[in-house]
Amino acid sequence: DSGVTQTPKHLITATGQRVTLRCSPRSGDLSVYWYQQSLDQGLQFLIQYYNGEERAKGNILERFSAQQFPDLHSELNLSSLELGDSALYFCASSGNRGVSEAFFGQGTRLTVV
Amino acid sequence: ELKVEQNPLFLSMQEGKNYTIYCNYSTTSDRLYWYRQDPGKSLESLFVLLSNGAVKQEGRLMASLDTKARLSTLHITAAVHDLSATYFCAGDLNYQLIWGAGTKLIIKP
């Protein structure tokens, strides 16, 4: 158990809908990362937050948004969903002790039908 | 810009054999990480390599880092089926992880 909690584990929704994925980082970790992993694809970095502030942005679509709350949990909002958004979405967290080793949650498997 | 390249991307090998996965990176990286991912599962941290010449071992896996050559290797000794997985390396630039494409390793009995 990495200590990073993601909910829900599975999500099936229709095209055009909006969903919210939730992530609770490890206790004490200030950074949260969101990644998308499609079938047989590598990890696509979406966005990183550090202590509530956006720190880095990757290949995140305009239909997607995220935020990190004062209690450090994070949410990834996906809207106007398309079939191609079906993927595993991972959240990872890391601390602030000079080593950015990231610990991953179990992921949310999103299926858009 | 930091780019991380792994090779091979796919490796099928027999149990009992040794092999090495290579991770090249394009510019200075403070740290190098290795992760393992089983199909449909999360990523598990294997090794964190912090300095030139660092070598870490866990069971049949050994990782090393040569910062002058900008190369990290993950060596598998006497492979067993349980090591079948996808292995990712990642470099670190300003606390941002930059990932390789992953090496899918299949070990046949």
Side-chain angles (χ1 to χ4, degrees):
Chain A
D1 183 1
S2 67
V4 179
T5 303
Q6 286 188 250
T7 57
K9 287 188 170 53
H10 301 275
L11 196 51
I12 301 175
T13 189
T15 55
Q17 295 298 305
R18 172 189 169 94
V19 298
T20 298
L21 312 183
R22 183 188 168 100
C23 171
S24 294
R26 290 190 320 157
S27 178
D29 282 356
L30 300 178
S31 275
V32 168
Y33 309 78
W34 286 98
Y35 291 91
Q36 180 192 56
Q37 187 177 43
S38 302
L39 190 64
D40 293 329
Q41 297 294 312
L43 286 165
Q44 298 295 319
F45 168 66
L46 296 178
I47 198 163
Q48 178 196 1
Y49 281 85
Y50 176 79
N51 203 20
E53 299 289 327
E54 182 183 303
R55 186 177 233 186
K57 194 176 255 190
N59 300 320
I60 188 167
L61 300 172
E62 285 191 10
R63 300 183 286 110
F64 296 179
S65 65
Q67 60 185 121
Q68 186 179 28
F69 294 87
D71 66 353
L72 301 177
H73 91 272
S74 179
E75 293 181 355
L76 178 67
N77 299 297
L78 313 176
S79 61
S80 302
L81 285 167
E82 302 174 358
L83 296 177
D85 297 328
S86 296
L88 260 174
Y89 290 84
F90 287 108
C91 166
S93 74
S94 66
N96 185 31
R97 284 163 283 175
V99 176
S100 57
E101 181 183 11
F103 294 86
F104 281 74
Q106 291 302 304
T108 293
R109 181 170 292 283
L110 173 67
T111 303
V112 182
V113 297
Chain B
E1 183 187 359
L2 174 62
K3 292 185 179 178
V4 178
E5 290 186 355
Q6 284 181 242
N7 69 85
L9 299 182
F10 180 81
L11 178 59
S12 178
M13 56 194 289
Q14 297 289 334
E15 277 192 326
K17 300 291 187 183
N18 303 331
Y19 211 80
T20 300
I21 299 170
Y22 297 89
C23 177
N24 293 272
Y25 53 97
S26 61
T27 186
T28 301
S29 176
D30 293 334
R31 290 159 283 272
L32 199 292
Y33 305 84
W34 285 96
Y35 284 79
R36 166 182 173 149
Q37 184 181 34
D38 292 310
K41 304 293 185 183
S42 185
L43 282 85
E44 174 191 358
S45 178
L46 293 175
F47 301 109
V48 180
L49 302 169
L50 299 178
S51 60
N52 188 41
V55 177
K56 291 198 174 179
Q57 183 161 5
E58 181 74 32
R60 300 175 188 273
L61 300 178
M62 183 174 70
S64 65
L65 178 62
D66 181 344
T67 58
K68 292 180 181 176
R70 296 179 183 164
L71 172 68
S72 180
T73 60
L74 180 66
H75 187 72
I76 302 140
T77 301
V80 294
H81 178 67
D82 285 352
L83 291 178
S84 297
T86 298
Y87 293 85
F88 291 92
C89 66
D92 184 340
L93 186 63
N94 298 326
Y95 298 101
Q96 183 60 45
L97 291 175
I98 310 299
W99 295 84
T103 297
K104 186 171 184 177
L105 176 63
I106 295 176
I107 299 169
K108 300 176 181 177

